[in-house]
Amino acid sequence: MIRISIRLSFLLLIIIVCAASTGHALTAVIICPSEQPEPPVWTGMEAIEKALAENGWDVQRRLGPLTSDNSAADLEIVTSVFDSAKAASFPGADILRDIVSTAPESLSVSIFPRGDRYRAYAVGSDPIGAMYAAFELAEQIETGAPETPVPQRIAPKKSTPSITVRGIKLMLHRQALEDPLSWFHTEKYWDGLLDAIARSRFNYMEIHGIYDLMTAEFYNLFPYFAVLSAFPSIGVGEQQAEKNLKVLQRIIIEAHKRGINASLVNHNSSWSIPDKSAPPQEFNALLKYNAEAFRRLLQDCPMLDGYGFAIGESRNSTEFYKQAILQEFAKKERPLILFLPAYLADRKQFGDITENHQGVTVAEVKFNGDQAPFPYPVSGGRMADWGGYSYQDYFNLPRRYNVIFDLHTSGTHRLLAWGNYDFVKQTIQNTSFGGANGFVVETPSTYYPQTDEYTSAIQLNLRYYDWTYERDWYWFLLWGRLGYNPNEPPETFIKLFERHFGPGAGAPIYQALQDSGSVVPAIASVYGLGPDMRNLAPELELPASFTAFFEARPFDSSRIRSVTEEAIALATGQIDGRLSPFNLLQDAATGAERASAAIREAESVLTQSLDKTDESNSPAALQRYREWNAISLDMEILSALGNYYRDAVNTALQMGLYQLTGDASSLVLASQGQKAMLEDWERLAQTGENHYRPLMEPLRMKTAGYHWRQAKPAFEQDQAILSQLYNEWLDKTEWQPQFAHFRLFKSPPLQSILLTLSIPPKIKTESLAASFKNSAGETGRLDMKATRIDGVYFAEIPAAFAVDGNIEYFFQGTIGGQEITIPDRSQNAPFHIAITSDDYPPQIITLEHQVGDGKSRATVKGVFEDPAIVASARLFWKPLPSDENWSEINMERSGDTFTASFPLTPAGAIYFVDLSDGYGNAARYPTAAQGLPYRVIPPFAAAKDVSSPSNPTPTPKKNGIKK
């Protein structure tokens, strides 16, 4: 097969060269064998035509049967649904039958020489797959090198979607519905947004409402789209409701043209809305109103694919929804999917609902609350106390519903440029966790304005977009394309960046987004104030005092140490396999610095392009430059933001180390860190003002005019705290030697070792020395010298003595008129430092589990290795439901094999291991980089239970209708 492809490519190259040498105008015909192509197929044909026209080709479209010699065009492109069972009259059917998958939404692109011409196929298993194939072929033409002839840019490709449901979550804003000039009432907005969604391979759009931008309150959808004769005083009025309805009807139609299913989700059932008087809400009247309004909605929007209601948020009984909504579902001839957000609801309510609904039901569970700190669902730990902010027990069997994940990314990423390939890819891969069928993801502006209400009014050189989907074009591409195929390589996106920004500029801008992509997630993971959008806005808020980190806990406490735990670990040497909060932020800040360098690399290219562009093209070049400028400022903001959190955590760590060890130099380092925080804030505030106007942020910051300038660090207050501690230390006349030394527990070979000891200056120090002995038996005695910090002394063990093994040491001297040895030689062994180059924790060779015949216990077995020795192997396990907590057990050892078992229930379980060696190296496995940071034992059904959902997975069919 490879040899055939090489031969075809060679023949094709000859044909291309010959065609180019003839000098005649290049012509193409786009052929669809169907006389009446489905709307998505038309959409795909339009994309191919646009790509060819931009490359100077004369293009025609042709509908009708395909023959072996259909036209005299230089290029024929056949785009169609390919049904292998009905393909006898389809030229090339024998070849296509082998390369076009029958799975829904599958695509295939191929090209074959035909004498001195060639024919390309962009076909799919259904209309959506055919549209995706056309998009793929058009993209290859668009992103190919300009000097490369168009046919040579077309490469064979076939793909089948990995994730069934790939959705975008939008909010209908009350202010937009009431403004006739808003994005909601603008066709150009919806056409552009839907194009972006479709080209990104999303197949689902979920519209929620009604949301108030200013108050963050939800209102019932129905009063905004209908006025009922039985309830004439309820709603926005007939004229406005009719306008809103026409927009909604058009949205659904246009979505279907692009292969996108559309559903509505209502968050409230009250008929009260702002600025409109309404009668008191008696239960039966309210029930009747909602039932009639829902019936009216289904009549007015017959092509609506799904409807949902938030049981928990609306706080209505299941009986209310049975009568008001589910009875109307049952009357509808065309299948309608029921979507139920699981937030603040429980499985009993779901059971009551699904027992009364015979159609497809989908439970939407939150991935990590309203935040996106990790690319995996956190389970146990703090999540055990956060209830409806996770998947809870919705994966338990039996169940009569499907499950998709609700990715609340906009709680974490509300403003700054972000598009990290690895994070999105891992998240997408983990949306099949527990047996889920897909995801719906919030855009950065789901809860925020859809127009440019962000850019500073005085910075005209930063204005480059009208609608936020234009700003976030790469965000849509990453989530959608990786949702369709998580293995889509980075090169695909680099090419799209090069097309967008131009050769030489796109790649470094893409790289800048990758390098800066861990800053905000790292902040959300370390400073995990809570799961709600109202608990934390990691891009915007700055803890005024570093002392806030003594109270803050990480979002996933099973994977990251808190600042307090990190200080204890450093002071005692008792390190477990969790990650250091400081190291996480340090790595993120370093990445942001690389991003700033990468973004500057693109500047010269764009500046030269702007200078050399002729007048007719200058608007496009200017727009590219403005977009780069805006992103570059965001990179600077992210760098300052990352540095602020890193320096704040470091300051808190140093203060914690002083309190644990009595090491006065830690207080000085804390003071320096606090000054660095102030510098970070000033850079952040100034850069932020250069880019953004005061921001409307009612959810967390509780203001319509927030700016980083308002978050000034409590510099004087914190300096006073540190100064007081330092002055108290200076004034001490009593001393506890055991709290005067910050120990090292490990050091590399042949590297000098700095030892420090802190003695309050008011205590007279007559003599002080450090004595040591290495593993070779060599000894030494070093007189300790005063540092620039009054009362802090140091000695340095020469590098030649730092040989593999251990160095033992102790301090001895005359202090306060007494002979003192530290540690007390009569009671304690000397301090010791492991001298080793071993920085690697034990490694997993295998890790697997077995479930006993009765399925009442699971046994985990692992083979672990370490160059030294595996000193500790602990198994952490928990039932699968997110609100269950972790248990811990030591694993039994036999050579390099370790085993442990734990009780198992039909809910399933997850587990991981914590491994450490004798040198203070530790890690927890599996790691998040390997996918999930735990292994999963799926839920299973008891003998009398049904083992799988009775509802089939909702699969998009032609013209966007789920069946």
Side-chain angles (χ1 to χ4, degrees):
M1 189 68 184
I2 294 175
R3 292 178 179 174
I4 293 173
S5 297
I6 294 174
R7 183 173 181 272
L8 287 175
S9 298
F10 180 72
L11 290 173
L12 180 59
L13 178 61
I14 294 174
I15 294 168
I16 293 166
V17 172
C18 292
S21 65
T22 62
H24 73 271
L26 295 172
T27 60
V29 59
I30 304 170
I31 303 170
C32 179
S34 172
E35 296 284 356
Q36 294 183 322
E38 296 278 1
V41 178
W42 272 114
T43 300
M45 293 172 69
E46 290 169 354
I48 296 173
E49 181 176 6
K50 180 175 179 291
L52 288 168
E54 287 178 352
N55 281 269
W57 284 60
D58 292 330
V59 187
Q60 296 180 351
R61 293 190 215 173
R62 184 170 300 168
L63 304 181
L66 187 65
T67 65
S68 58
D69 188 17
N70 225 61
S71 73
D74 298 290
L75 171 63
E76 289 180 354
I77 299 177
V78 180
T79 180
S80 173
V81 176
F82 181 78
D83 186 343
S84 59
K86 303 177 181 178
S89 61
F90 202 111
D94 292 339
I95 297 175
L96 294 176
R97 186 177 290 110
D98 295 331
I99 63 175
V100 181
S101 170
T102 58
E105 299 183 358
S106 296
L107 68 85
S108 175
V109 172
S110 54
I111 188 165
F112 303 95
R114 300 176 61 245
D116 59 349
R117 292 166 287 165
Y118 35 90
R119 173 181 283 171
Y121 293 91
V123 295
S125 58
D126 54 26
I128 298 174
M131 179 184 70
Y132 290 164
F135 287 163
E136 173 64 35
L137 189 146
E139 182 179 295
Q140 291 183 10
I141 294 172
E142 292 167 344
T143 59
E147 66 275 12
T148 302
V150 164
Q152 195 173 337
R153 304 177 198 175
I154 300 173
K157 184 171 183 177
K158 60 178 181 178
S159 189
T160 295
S162 173
I163 305 297
T164 303
V165 179
R166 310 177 301 279
I168 285 287
K169 181 178 179 180
L170 302 175
M171 288 287 171
L172 294 182
H173 302 156
R174 178 176 75 86
Q175 287 78 4
L177 268 70
E178 294 174 352
D179 179 2
L181 300 179
S182 75
W183 56 268
F184 177 77
H185 295 285
T186 303
E187 290 185 0
K188 183 179 178 181
Y189 166 82
W190 287 107
D191 290 343
L193 174 66
L194 293 170
D195 284 343
I197 292 174
R199 290 292 288 261
S200 300
R201 312 291 195 269
F202 287 103
N203 62 1
Y204 177 56
M205 178 174 63
E206 192 169 88
I207 302 174
H208 290 240
I210 300 295
Y211 179 74
D212 192 304
L213 280 175
M214 301 302 296
T215 66
E217 298 290 334
F218 280 100
Y219 300 101
N220 194 339
L221 282 164
F222 298 143
Y224 289 87
F225 291 96
V227 175
L228 307 178
S229 58
F231 300 90
S233 63
I234 306 301
V236 295
E238 290 187 8
Q239 184 176 8
Q240 184 60 50
E242 184 65 22
K243 289 181 180 179
N244 294 344
L245 178 63
K246 286 182 178 179
V247 174
L248 180 61
Q249 291 168 331
R250 184 179 184 275
I251 292 170
I252 297 170
I253 292 170
E254 293 300 318
H256 286 175
K257 288 180 180 178
R258 296 163 175 84
I260 303 166
N261 295 318
S263 296
L264 290 174
V265 176
N266 207 344
H267 286 250
N268 202 324
S269 59
S270 168
W271 62 37
S272 295
I273 61 175
D275 304 323
K276 297 288 182 181
S277 60
Q281 300 184 64
E282 188 268 328
F283 178 84
N284 288 332
L286 190 62
L287 189 152
K288 182 180 179 183
Y289 169 77
N290 279 269
E292 292 191 13
F294 182 52
R295 188 183 309 118
R296 174 76 169 271
L297 175 70
L298 297 182
Q299 292 171 355
D300 291 336
C301 300
M303 300 304 289
L304 187 68
D305 297 293
Y307 179 81
F309 46 85
I311 309 173
E313 283 183 295
S314 66
R315 305 191 187 282
N316 276 323
S317 66
T318 53
E319 189 60 35
F320 177 91
Y321 285 111
K322 289 177 190 177
Q323 297 184 44
I325 304 298
L326 295 186
Q327 289 183 8
E328 299 304 319
F329 262 85
K331 298 174 185 177
K332 196 173 189 303
E333 294 182 4
R334 181 173 166 272
L336 191 69
I337 295 177
L338 175 61
F339 288 90
L340 298 177
Y343 176 58
L344 295 180
D346 58 44
R347 287 193 80 229
K348 183 180 183 304
Q349 290 175 301
F350 265 72
D352 291 343
I353 292 293
T354 55
E355 286 299 321
N356 288 271
H357 177 58
Q358 298 307 310
V360 175
T361 304
V362 176
E364 294 188 11
V365 300
K366 294 191 177 187
F367 196 72
N368 278 316
D370 296 347
Q371 301 292 343
F374 304 105
Y376 62 87
V378 174
S379 188
R382 300 181 71 195
M383 191 61 79
D385 300 323
W386 287 341
Y389 287 98
S390 189
Y391 61 85
Q392 303 170 86
D393 60 352
Y394 282 94
F395 291 120
N396 287 6
L397 297 175
R399 61 177 189 262
R400 296 193 70 256
Y401 52 83
N402 295 289
V403 181
I404 64 174
F405 275 112
D406 186 357
L407 304 179
H408 271 255
T409 58
S410 64
T412 299
H413 301 287
R414 311 184 190 206
L415 178 67
L416 302 175
W418 186 89
N420 186 266
Y421 174 92
D422 289 334
F423 190 99
V424 174
K425 177 178 179 176
Q426 290 179 45
T427 302
I428 294 297
Q429 290 173 325
N430 290 333
T431 58
S432 60
F433 172 83
N437 303 121
F439 66 90
V440 56
V441 61
E442 294 175 347
T443 75
S445 54
T446 290
Y447 292 90
Y448 298 96
Q450 301 284 359
T451 52
D452 187 2
E453 301 295 329
Y454 308 90
T455 304
S456 171
I458 63 173
Q459 297 289 357
L460 296 179
N461 63 332
L462 296 175
R463 292 195 168 274
Y464 67 92
Y465 68 92
D466 294 317
W467 316 108
T468 52
Y469 70 79
E470 296 170 320
R471 177 195 66 184
D472 303 324
W473 60 271
Y474 49 86
W475 183 97
F476 282 90
L477 282 171
L478 278 171
W479 284 102
R481 294 293 292 275
L482 290 173
Y484 184 83
N485 176 18
N487 294 316
E488 191 73 52
E491 289 74 20
T492 296
F493 301 99
I494 294 173
K495 287 180 180 180
L496 291 165
F497 269 73
E498 289 281 284
R499 170 173 165 75
H500 186 86
F501 288 104
I509 295 174
Y510 171 85
Q511 189 57 48
L513 290 168
Q514 309 318 302
D515 290 337
S516 65
S518 61
V519 171
V520 178
I523 293 170
S525 64
V526 170
Y527 195 60
L529 297 184
D532 199 283
M533 295 179 73
R534 295 169 175 82
N535 297 139
L536 177 67
E539 293 176 315
L540 303 178
E541 66 184 279
L542 304 174
S545 172
F546 68 85
T547 58
F549 288 92
F550 290 123
E551 301 297 328
R553 297 171 60 194
F555 198 96
D556 185 357
S557 55
S558 71
R559 285 286 150 176
I560 303 173
R561 289 186 288 273
S562 70
V563 171
T564 299
E565 290 169 330
E566 179 73 355
I568 294 172
L570 292 174
T572 64
Q574 301 300 310
I575 304 291
D576 59 23
R578 290 179 295 173
L579 301 174
S580 159
F582 175 76
N583 289 348
L584 276 173
L585 292 166
Q586 171 76 325
D587 291 346
T590 301
E593 292 299 323
R594 291 197 305 270
S596 295
I599 207 74
R600 287 193 295 271
E601 183 182 335
E603 180 178 14
S604 60
V605 177
L606 290 168
T607 303
Q608 292 173 10
S609 172
L610 188 62
D611 292 341
K612 296 178 180 180
T613 302
D614 60 48
E615 186 175 351
S616 62
N617 291 326
S618 59
L622 180 60
Q623 182 156 318
R624 287 193 297 270
Y625 180 82
R626 286 176 171 175
E627 184 172 0
W628 165 86
N629 199 3
I631 294 176
S632 67
L633 286 174
D634 276 3
M635 297 301 104
E636 184 71 14
I637 291 171
L638 286 166
S639 175
L641 186 67
N643 285 355
Y644 184 92
Y645 274 86
R646 177 203 61 195
D647 293 335
V649 165
N650 184 48
T651 303
L653 277 176
Q654 295 301 330
M655 181 173 166
L657 288 172
Y658 168 73
Q659 293 172 324
L660 291 167
T661 67
D663 174 35
S665 60
S666 294
L667 278 179
V668 177
L669 292 173
S671 181
Q672 293 174 349
Q674 210 275 330
K675 292 176 183 177
M677 288 172 59
L678 189 65
E679 294 173 0
D680 299 332
W681 167 78
E682 179 57 45
R683 179 161 69 105
L684 172 59
Q686 184 59 57
T687 310
E689 287 175 337
N690 290 341
H691 189 178
Y692 296 106
R693 66 178 65 185
L695 303 167
M696 181 176 67
E697 208 341 294
L699 286 162
R700 171 61 178 170
M701 315 315 292
K702 308 297 184 185
T703 178
Y706 175 78
H707 220 285
W708 292 279
R709 182 69 67 184
Q710 300 169 15
K712 183 176 181 179
F715 183 75
E716 292 80 6
Q717 173 186 324
D718 282 353
Q719 282 291 309
I721 293 172
L722 295 172
S723 296
Q724 180 180 350
L725 289 172
Y726 187 65
N727 290 332
E728 288 174 353
W729 181 79
L730 292 174
D731 288 339
K732 283 184 178 179
T733 56
E734 295 182 0
W735 182 51
Q736 294 178 300
Q738 65 268 32
F739 296 117
H741 172 50
F742 174 63
R743 292 181 57 185
L744 291 178
F745 294 91
K746 186 171 69 171
S747 184
L750 301 178
Q751 181 174 303
S752 60
I753 302 172
L754 182 67
L755 305 177
T756 61
L757 191 68
S758 298
I759 304 173
K762 287 191 175 182
I763 299 175
K764 185 177 180 181
T765 302
E766 298 169 4
S767 65
L768 188 62
S771 298
F772 65 88
K773 178 182 178 180
N774 68 9
S775 59
E778 299 172 310
T779 62
R781 179 183 173 89
L782 304 168
D783 290 331
M784 300 197 72
K785 302 175 182 179
T787 68
R788 294 181 181 180
I789 305 172
D790 199 12
V792 178
Y793 300 85
F794 80 99
E796 195 169 29
I797 299 176
F801 290 91
V803 296
D804 283 329
N806 282 336
I807 282 185
E808 295 181 343
Y809 69 96
F810 61 91
F811 302 102
Q812 195 171 29
T814 304
I815 302 171
Q818 298 182 11
E819 295 293 325
I820 293 178
T821 301
I822 306 170
D824 186 340
R825 298 294 298 275
S826 64
Q827 298 178 9
N828 300 299
F831 298 125
H832 69 273
I833 302 173
I835 305 301
T836 178
S837 57
D838 184 354
D839 279 331
Y840 298 96
Q843 300 296 304
I844 286 183
I845 306 304
T846 62
L847 181 64
E848 56 191 11
H849 65 265
Q850 290 183 337
V851 177
D853 292 340
K855 294 187 177 181
S856 61
R857 291 195 73 80
T859 299
V860 175
K861 181 172 71 173
V863 177
F864 314 137
E865 290 186 352
D866 190 85
I869 188 172
V870 179
S872 170
R874 294 179 294 157
L875 174 70
F876 289 78
W877 66 274
K878 63 179 292 298
L880 184 72
S882 60
D883 48 6
E884 299 276 359
N885 227 324
W886 293 98
S887 297
E888 176 185 351
I889 187 173
N890 289 323
M891 303 185 75
E892 297 182 2
R893 178 173 190 160
S894 176
D896 290 333
T897 301
F898 295 77
T899 58
S901 64
F902 58 86
L904 189 63
T905 70
I910 58 177
Y911 65 89
F912 65 85
V913 294
D914 184 296
L915 308 180
S916 62
D917 63 15
Y919 291 128
N921 302 311
R924 293 190 168 181
Y925 297 101
T927 66
Q930 296 168 320
L932 290 168
Y934 39 73
R935 293 286 168 83
V936 179
I937 301 176
F940 54 89
K944 64 180 180 179
D945 291 335
V946 179
S947 62
S948 62
S950 60
N951 287 328
T953 298
T955 304
K957 295 297 183 182
K958 57 185 179 180
N959 76 358
I961 299 172
K962 291 177 180 175
K963 193 174 181 180

